[in-house]
Amino acid sequence: MNREINTDIASGLIGLLLTGLFYFGLEDVLWMSIIFPEVAGAIMDLLSIILIIKGLVKPSRSPVFKEGSNLRWIVTGVLFFCWVMVMPVLGFFVSTVLFMSLIVIYLARARTSVTIKKILVWVPIVIAEVTFFYVIFTRFLYIPLPEGMFF
Amino acid sequence: MAIIPGAGGNIANLVAYNEAKRASKHPEKFGTGLPEGLVATESSNNVTVAGSMVPLLTLGIPGAPPDAVILGVLMLHGLRPGIELFTVSGQLTYGFILSMALSAMVMVPVGLLGGRLIYKVIFKTPYYFLVPTIALATILGTYGVRNSHTDVVLMLVLGTLGHLLKQLGVAPAPVVLGLILGNIAEMGYVQTIFSGQASQYPFLKLFESGLSQILIAMTVLSAAWPYLLALRQRIQARKASPTEDRHE
């Protein structure tokens, strides 16, 4: 599928949308603290408008999302979000082993055939890797990682 | 870059990457694992360690998070950055500086021997293991700074936004620079505006100092430079085209 859009207009609109969101967030901020965000927002607005005008005056279309599979990107992204969201519930160790294994299995499907035998090799590797990081952080660096219903 | 108080250590590798990209014959290949980009960022990353000690030990201003940790340890042991650190506690400080020189020398054999091995291991690791491992490292790194789960969620949201913007041609490096330099810019701007409250137009205070005038001129010039170059090329092309017409 050929995905070509006017990236100048798209970037300008995203810039305006972001500054709009920031302006809403500034409603309850004191006047002394608001000085810099207002200026930064105004500069971002100005640059976004310049980009939109450039996109309208000299329209050019560029290919976007042309590399790799978009579906794979979205599914992996959703798995990352789920991983982080369940971390306080299941705890760092359990959630990381679970979701890292799921991501490895999902991504491996694009390159190789996934069999039970392979999964039985991959999962212990993931457990060893997560255990290594877990021990380093909790025992040596004394950084407590999120705990959940198990530990 | 590293000796700039407050930001040097953080921005040096980004600046090095950008300069390597500008000087490269294949700038379009940057971001795909090109050795030039990796060498630029990693070598500048090592170089800044020693450089960032200058503002840390003399002024007590950390340039990067590891420097802040060192500052904390110094304070914990009753050592205050400044002249006293080099006079009263000179023996300790110079020993510390020499140990950094020693570590820089040790980096050579470690890099030469370990570099190839690490490269081979990473190169042979299937990408479906690398992706979640990198994600794990970013999650741990983000969580470790403040022990905050919200920071991790924020990192994922901003990472997604960064990916979308990259697809639209917005380079992530300047955004990261803005994030790092934002605090310094905010402090400087607010201080200037407050000190100019007595006048009718406080923002004019920004243009009063000779140094700020030079910096503003350099900023405007660097922003306009690509357009000036394009204009010059267009003028040269226009001058050359009538001659070609005559020959035809």
Side-chain angles (χ1 to χ4, degrees):
Chain A
M1 197 177 123
N2 188 20
R3 296 178 212 90
E4 282 193 343
I5 61 164
N6 191 323
T7 49
D8 287 334
I9 294 179
S11 310
L13 288 174
I14 288 178
L16 286 178
L17 187 77
L18 282 176
T19 43
L21 281 173
F22 290 144
Y23 279 129
F24 278 115
L26 290 176
E27 276 175 358
D28 301 325
V29 182
L30 291 170
W31 73 270
M32 278 194 291
S33 310
I34 218 169
I35 296 172
F36 185 74
E38 268 188 349
V39 175
I43 292 170
M44 207 164 143
D45 273 341
L46 183 72
L47 293 173
S48 302
I49 290 165
I50 290 171
L51 265 178
I52 292 170
I53 292 169
K54 189 183 165 231
L56 291 171
V57 175
K58 277 187 179 177
S60 65
R61 299 176 82 81
S62 306
V64 289
F65 302 106
K66 56 181 178 176
E67 285 170 13
S69 156
N70 285 327
L71 178 70
R72 203 156 58 234
W73 193 90
I74 292 167
V75 173
T76 315
V78 170
L79 284 170
F80 281 151
F81 272 99
C82 293
W83 174 4
V84 171
M85 288 306 175
V86 301
M87 211 176 265
V89 183
L90 296 177
F92 171 81
F93 191 87
V94 178
S95 64
T96 304
V97 167
L98 179 70
F99 279 94
M100 267 189 80
S101 305
L102 282 175
I103 292 166
V104 167
I105 293 165
Y106 176 72
L107 291 177
R109 283 170 64 239
R111 294 278 169 97
T112 177
S113 60
V114 177
T115 57
I116 298 290
K117 203 178 162 186
K118 282 181 182 172
I119 293 171
L120 289 175
V121 175
W122 292 339
V123 173
I125 294 174
V126 169
I127 293 172
E129 191 182 339
V130 178
T131 309
F132 173 75
F133 280 108
Y134 186 80
V135 170
I136 291 278
F137 269 72
T138 53
R139 307 282 171 203
F140 294 102
L141 298 174
Y142 297 107
I143 295 172
L145 295 171
E147 288 180 4
M149 58 175 78
F150 302 106
F151 59 92
Chain B
M1 294 302 300
I3 62 167
I4 297 172
N10 276 330
I11 63 168
N13 49 357
L14 288 165
V15 174
Y17 179 80
N18 197 42
E19 289 310 306
K21 192 177 178 180
R22 286 208 313 172
S24 172
K25 287 175 185 169
H26 317 284
E28 74 285 351
K29 286 184 181 170
F30 271 66
T32 60
L34 198 71
E36 289 170 49
L38 295 170
V39 170
T41 44
E42 287 310 309
S43 52
S44 65
N45 204 24
N46 290 343
V47 168
T48 54
V49 175
S52 62
M53 286 297 132
V54 176
L56 180 75
L57 298 178
T58 54
L59 305 168
I61 302 170
D67 302 337
V69 175
I70 295 172
L71 179 67
V73 174
L74 288 175
M75 301 294 258
L76 210 68
H77 287 85
L79 299 165
R80 289 170 64 93
I83 298 169
E84 274 188 17
L85 202 64
F86 293 87
T87 51
V88 180
S89 325
Q91 208 173 0
L92 191 79
T93 309
Y94 286 111
F96 178 61
I97 292 168
L98 281 172
S99 73
M100 289 194 65
L102 193 70
S103 69
M105 280 189 275
V106 170
M107 280 294 286
V108 178
V110 169
L112 285 173
L113 297 171
R116 285 173 195 274
L117 184 74
I118 294 163
Y119 168 78
K120 275 181 187 167
V121 169
I122 292 174
F123 197 71
K124 281 183 180 171
T125 306
Y127 98 106
Y128 45 87
F129 266 103
L130 270 183
V131 172
T133 305
I134 293 167
L136 174 64
T138 53
I139 287 171
L140 281 171
T142 312
Y143 185 83
V145 176
R146 292 196 307 176
N147 288 6
S148 163
H149 181 257
T150 315
D151 283 358
V152 182
V153 178
L154 208 61
M155 179 271 289
L156 272 179
V157 173
L158 293 177
T160 310
L161 187 69
H163 176 76
L164 292 173
L165 286 173
K166 197 181 168 190
Q167 293 295 328
L168 296 171
V170 179
V175 180
V176 177
L177 269 180
L179 203 68
I180 297 164
L181 298 177
N183 273 342
I184 301 167
E186 178 166 12
M187 202 170 72
Y189 182 78
V190 172
Q191 277 176 353
T192 313
I193 294 296
F194 279 168
S195 64
Q197 283 297 314
S199 70
Q200 198 180 353
Y201 302 105
F203 69 92
L204 287 177
K205 190 89 178 163
L206 287 167
F207 304 92
E208 269 182 17
S209 147
L211 187 65
S212 70
Q213 284 168 4
I214 292 168
L215 287 172
I216 289 166
M218 282 168 71
T219 309
V220 172
L221 190 68
S222 64
W225 191 248
Y227 298 99
L228 291 174
L229 274 180
L231 188 71
R232 195 180 139 198
Q233 280 171 353
R234 211 180 298 162
I235 291 167
Q236 280 176 344
R238 207 173 288 168
K239 273 182 189 171
S241 59
T243 338
E244 281 170 20
D245 291 345
R246 248 177 271 147
H247 284 301
E248 282 167 12

